[in-house]
Amino acid sequence: MKHLYLMRHGETLFNQRRKIQGWCDSPLTEQGIEQAKKARKVLKDISFDHYYCSTAERCSDTLEIITSSPYQRLKGLKERYFGVFEGESEDLNPPIGKYDSFFPLYGGETRDDVVKRMNETLSMIMKRDDHHCVLAVSHAGACRCFLSDIGDPQNLLQGKKFSNCCILHFTYDDHNFQFIEMLND
């Protein structure tokens, strides 16, 4: 049985300013740096054999606070793309259930696009023979899409919010992911 720990990056300037942050990027805030340091403490007793993150700077900066080990950046772990709404106010967001009927009209990705990309990327990682315990840093929307392919996120997370630097623990066996728990909520 293999283990995947999928983590959201620390708080960013755009999070703080309530900006839509998909493929565009902004730096970690002081709070985001502190969140990553707390997550490092939560993960300190887990022996990871490989590390990955999205190509976004906010993810690599978060991972570099967690570990000094080498890691690989992968485009497949990127956040959902919001088209022309990238960098705009979150006040323009439709309700979460309406994302698929809204953002693709403006060049954004659908939930299915993100699920497919995340599943392909995380499966490719976990299929590798020497990958037994992996930490991957990604984004709230991408992680939530991945989780929604396994089950209802509200039920799986027991109503808890997926805050910055939260960590989702999955097992991987026989080409299937199973959600185990959320750490440091």
Side-chain angles (χ1 to χ4, degrees):
M1 178 106 29
K2 296 181 175 192
H3 295 269
L4 168 67
Y5 292 81
L6 183 59
M7 181 176 157
R8 181 183 179 194
H9 60 79
E11 182 193 67
T12 67
L13 181 64
F14 273 22
N15 293 146
Q16 201 175 63
R17 292 194 173 168
R18 296 187 26 80
K19 299 274 187 187
I20 297 171
Q21 184 173 227
W23 287 9
C24 62
D25 211 356
S26 70
L28 295 179
T29 61
E30 286 302 316
Q31 181 174 334
I33 292 167
E34 289 306 311
Q35 290 165 336
K37 288 177 181 177
K38 287 179 185 173
R40 180 178 61 207
K41 290 178 185 173
V42 169
L43 298 170
K44 69 178 172 50
D45 294 328
I46 300 172
S47 296
F48 293 106
D49 46 44
H50 290 85
Y51 299 89
Y52 292 87
C53 71
S54 157
T55 54
E57 182 179 309
R58 60 193 185 265
C59 291
S60 59
D61 287 352
T62 298
L63 186 54
E64 288 171 9
I65 293 168
I66 303 291
T67 184
S68 59
S69 297
Y71 64 90
Q72 186 175 353
R73 296 172 68 179
L74 298 173
K75 289 182 181 181
L77 297 175
K78 287 171 73 166
E79 178 60 289
R80 181 182 199 145
Y81 182 59
F82 294 104
V84 299
F85 287 91
E86 293 275 326
E88 298 294 336
S89 171
E90 286 184 4
D91 294 334
L92 299 174
N93 272 338
I96 289 178
K98 304 286 186 190
Y99 277 28
D100 277 353
S101 61
F102 183 75
F103 287 114
L105 297 174
Y106 301 96
E109 287 183 293
T110 66
R111 174 199 165 276
D112 289 344
D113 294 335
V114 181
V115 167
K116 182 177 186 282
R117 176 167 48 82
M118 289 290 287
N119 269 326
E120 286 174 356
T121 302
L122 292 170
S123 293
M124 178 263 309
I125 290 168
M126 297 309 294
K127 285 178 185 175
R128 295 178 176 164
D129 288 338
D130 63 340
H131 286 52
H132 302 285
C133 191
V134 173
L135 175 63
V137 179
S138 187
H139 308 267
C143 291
R144 194 169 184 84
C145 285
F146 177 72
L147 184 62
S148 73
D149 199 46
I150 293 168
D152 177 21
Q154 273 302 104
N155 291 337
L156 293 172
L157 300 178
Q158 300 172 350
K160 296 176 184 171
K161 185 180 176 202
F162 190 61
S163 58
N164 291 99
C165 284
C166 274
I167 304 155
L168 302 177
H169 176 201
F170 300 88
T171 56
Y172 180 80
D173 189 33
D174 196 28
H175 306 286
N176 291 305
F177 289 96
Q178 181 175 352
F179 177 72
I180 303 300
E181 63 184 332
M182 181 168 70
L183 304 175
N184 79 319
D185 55 329

